[in-house]
Amino acid sequence: MADHLEMTKTTPKDFIYATLGGLFAPGLAIFLIVMLFLGIQGGMGQPDAAPLSDKAVRARIQPFGQSLAMDPNAPKVERTGEQVYNEVCSGCHASGALGSPKFKEAADWAKRNGQGYEVLLTHALKGFNKMPARGGDPDLSDLEVARGVVYMTNAAGARFEAYLKKEPEPSAADLARGKAVYAENCAGCHDTGVTGAQKLTDAKAWAPLIKEGKEYLYNAAINGSFGGPAKGGNEKLSDGDTRVAVDYMVAEARAAIEAAARQPVKQAAKPATQQAGK
Ligand code: HEC
Ligand code: HEC
């Protein structure tokens, strides 16, 4: 009986351990929760800081609204010279910041324009003294930079057209090959204009396309464009054959444009060259 009592009797020592344990367990849990929370907060502070300052910088260089290119989910659309200027170049060139030639200030641009389009384009693409490469926006494509250059220089009296490389004229052999490829793969749509394809003889449709430059057209023909199938839907067609087909189409379209320009007065067809900068 005495043994039995011994076993169940709570000594003061037991009592203290039990009490301390009871107090500590929740205390420890609370302590850990607090530490965890502080840890999360501390961690959150850091990744936040970078985008914020980046945003602030962007906001300062780009006072005219958001760039489409900043949304990673937005499809890449080649912007016009005016858009490129407003979104990127105006950050400095609107005010002449950092000693940049000011927009529409013919005196600022005269000598620079005298260097010729290609030098200006190279400087805009690669950077030049305090002029950052691509105006500081690496998302701009070469063509967008070229359009930005043309937009600014033409606003100050130049008459440049946006292109990236001087386009070599296709040889007679290329054109002959292109004609054959075209007849076989492209005429089905582009002779008739079916499905919205630009008819080869449609001067109005081709004038702005030709302005975009051959690289653009090659790319559209090889990879497909709005409604235009890649390689005319013939996946066996080589890139080279697709290119010469485009060469042929452009040659034909140019002829159509020239013919339209030679039409008597009432047509008043503007020479295509007046739309530079678009
Ligand atoms: C951060 C400021 C800044 C931005 C943004 C900027 N530029 Fe400039 N740009 C300059 C400065 C400064 C110069 C003058 C450089 C010099 O002559 O030393 C300049 C000069 C130029 C020139 C003349 C180069 C020459 O050879 O004389 C061109 C062309 C040009 N910028 C195009 C652009 C285009 C296109 C954009 C937009 C895509 C752009 N810039 C955005 C600062 C800027
Ligand atoms: C099934 C019909 C079809 C065939 C075949 C076709 N195209 Fe097209 N193509 C289109 C349509 C539609 C468009 C117009 C898209 C638009 O609205 O801009 C187009 C546009 C183009 C453009 C202009 C790019 C642009 O941005 O609009 C080029 C260049 C072109 N096609 C080249 C070719 C070549 C080269 C071939 C043959 C290898 C070919 N196409 C065959 C339907 C066709």
Side-chain angles (χ1 to χ4, degrees):
M1 187 138 124
D3 281 1
H4 181 73
L5 268 176
E6 282 276 307
M7 281 178 69
T8 53
K9 199 165 127 199
T10 312
T11 61
K13 235 191 197 165
D14 289 340
F15 180 76
I16 288 168
Y17 283 146
T19 315
L20 282 180
L23 279 175
F24 261 109
L28 190 67
I30 290 171
F31 175 75
L32 286 176
I33 289 169
V34 168
M35 289 306 284
L36 184 71
F37 188 69
L38 288 177
I40 290 171
Q41 272 205 325
M44 266 163 50
Q46 253 162 0
D48 223 2
L52 243 182
S53 62
D54 184 48
K55 253 187 237 156
V57 169
R58 290 262 191 188
R60 223 178 314 137
I61 341 181
Q62 303 193 335
F64 285 89
Q66 302 300 314
S67 156
L68 269 178
M70 254 185 267
D71 176 357
N73 297 316
K76 173 75 179 158
V77 184
E78 298 273 4
R79 282 162 281 177
T80 64
E82 185 176 4
Q83 284 171 323
V84 170
Y85 170 76
N86 283 338
E87 289 171 21
V88 182
C89 321
S90 63
C92 292
H93 287 274
S95 62
L98 303 179
S100 56
K102 206 170 155 185
F103 187 57
K104 284 195 171 161
E105 200 69 57
D108 284 6
W109 284 97
K111 251 213 200 124
R112 296 177 189 273
N113 287 352
Q115 303 173 105
Y117 167 77
E118 287 179 19
V119 172
L120 294 165
L121 176 63
T122 304
H123 286 167
L125 285 171
K126 305 226 161 112
F128 181 61
N129 299 328
K130 284 188 189 147
M131 160 74 202
R134 292 170 199 274
D137 184 346
D139 291 341
L140 285 182
S141 71
D142 289 2
L143 187 59
E144 286 173 326
V145 173
R147 289 175 180 172
V149 169
V150 167
Y151 182 75
M152 282 203 286
T153 51
N154 285 7
R159 305 193 71 188
F160 296 130
E161 271 186 48
Y163 63 86
L164 297 177
K165 272 182 278 158
K166 268 240 155 51
E167 283 153 1
E169 288 301 316
S171 67
D174 283 347
L175 286 179
R177 171 94 191 120
K179 184 174 183 177
V181 174
Y182 172 83
E184 206 168 305
N185 299 280
C186 323
C189 294
H190 286 280
D191 265 5
T192 56
V194 77
T195 71
Q198 298 90 350
K199 261 177 96 165
L200 266 203
T201 50
D202 185 344
K204 266 218 200 92
W206 282 98
L209 283 174
I210 289 174
K211 279 247 154 315
E212 300 289 342
K214 282 262 182 82
E215 280 307 319
Y216 167 82
L217 294 173
Y218 289 152
N219 195 47
I222 290 170
N223 299 310
S225 69
F226 327 92
K231 299 183 171 179
N234 176 4
E235 55 189 27
K236 292 211 190 88
L237 202 60
S238 70
D239 287 5
D241 275 354
T242 310
R243 280 200 187 88
V244 291
V246 170
D247 287 340
Y248 168 75
M249 290 167 81
V250 167
E252 290 292 298
R254 280 210 174 110
I257 291 168
E258 274 160 31
R262 266 186 267 109
Q263 295 273 301
V265 241
K266 62 173 184 198
Q267 220 83 359
K270 268 194 213 154
T273 42
Q274 287 186 1
Q275 285 183 10
K278 282 254 287 289

